[in-house]
Amino acid sequence: MAKRRPNLNKALRALIRDIAARLPEFGHIKAQRILVVAGEARRTSRGTVKPLCYRGGKSTDRTGRRKPIVRVRGRRMLYCITLRPLFFRGSTARARIETILHELFHCSRRFDGTLHAGRRHDVLGKDFSRRLRPLVRRYLKVCPAELKAAFAYSGEVRVLQWLERPGSSYIPGPSRVRVRKVYTEDQLFYGIARMVTPKPRVVREAGTRSPKVH
């Protein structure tokens, strides 16, 4: 019997829940309101996060523009994290976990479907990494071994992907192009992605025969 491919979304939900439980800085994060999908390449990005609401969790802004509603199993999603090919190919478990922390760090402290205005790369510049790095180190010290193992996996996994991807926003009213207002699991499917994890480097110490694994 062929080996069943692991469900990466299950591991991702467990990781996000664990991060929220262990780090007070992420205590506002609710894993059940975040959709994670695999998507296309975007330069050297390993992941991106998309806000699915306007401030206060509203669908419409002051100008009348609307964001499509994304609802999975009856629950409205507030954010969509898209994992790019570089997340799957050639990343270590540490790098993959850091990518998730990176995207969660962008979420507003209100957790209302918007991004934190002060945690933009164009606002913080190099300070973004300086502020995130200590959080990554702290979490990796307490991250359960089974979660690290899930993200050190090499091989094919099942992961959600868009069958039809929602746009960022639209203007209500008559239009030549039909606009879908609500996206559900009907517009999603489990696709196959291959995770390629580099093997740990083996360094031989002078005067010994036993290799040291980094």
Side-chain angles (χ1 to χ4, degrees), residues 66-210:
R66 291 184 63 88
K67 283 184 178 288
I69 292 173
V70 178
R71 189 179 291 125
V72 179
R73 295 182 180 177
R75 180 179 286 121
R76 185 171 185 183
M77 298 292 106
L78 300 179
Y79 300 90
C80 180
I81 293 176
T82 301
L83 302 177
R84 308 292 175 184
L86 285 176
F87 176 92
F88 297 93
R89 298 295 182 107
S91 281
T92 61
R94 177 190 175 95
R96 290 175 179 134
I97 292 171
E98 182 174 354
T99 294
I100 300 302
L101 283 160
H102 181 129
E103 304 313 328
L104 296 178
F105 194 63
H106 281 297
C107 295
S108 168
R109 292 284 300 178
R110 298 184 299 273
F111 201 72
D112 59 353
T114 64
L115 301 182
H116 195 299
R119 292 179 180 171
R120 297 170 59 93
H121 289 284
D122 57 357
V123 172
L124 289 177
K126 293 182 179 179
D127 283 338
F128 185 96
S129 295
R130 294 193 186 103
R131 291 177 60 178
L132 180 63
R133 199 175 300 121
L135 300 176
V136 174
R137 285 198 296 264
R138 275 173 48 204
Y139 180 69
L140 287 171
K141 289 179 181 178
V142 297
C143 179
E146 61 270 21
L147 279 178
K148 287 183 181 178
F151 291 94
Y153 182 79
S154 277
E156 292 184 342
V157 296
R158 292 180 296 135
V159 60
L160 284 172
Q161 299 177 35
W162 284 114
L163 185 64
E164 180 185 341
R165 187 178 62 184
S168 57
S169 64
Y170 64 94
I171 300 174
S175 174
R176 295 180 181 178
V177 180
R178 182 174 176 271
V179 178
R180 187 182 296 279
K181 299 176 182 177
V182 180
Y183 290 76
T184 69
E185 54 268 29
D186 291 340
Q187 282 72 53
L188 291 162
F189 72 100
Y190 274 100
I192 305 301
R194 178 176 290 277
M195 291 175 69
V196 179
T197 306
K199 294 181 179 180
R201 291 185 299 110
V202 176
V203 179
R204 295 187 180 278
E205 295 180 343
T208 67
R209 293 184 178 181
S210 299

Side-chain angles (χ1 to χ4, degrees), residues 2-30:
K3 184 178 178 181
R4 185 173 176 82
R5 298 180 181 96
N7 183 331
L8 186 62
N9 282 90
K10 184 176 180 180
L12 287 160
R13 284 192 298 271
L15 176 66
I16 295 171
R17 283 196 300 266
D18 195 68
I19 289 169
R22 294 179 186 273
L23 295 186
E25 294 87 349
F26 294 91
H28 56 291
I29 298 292
K30 297 177 177 62

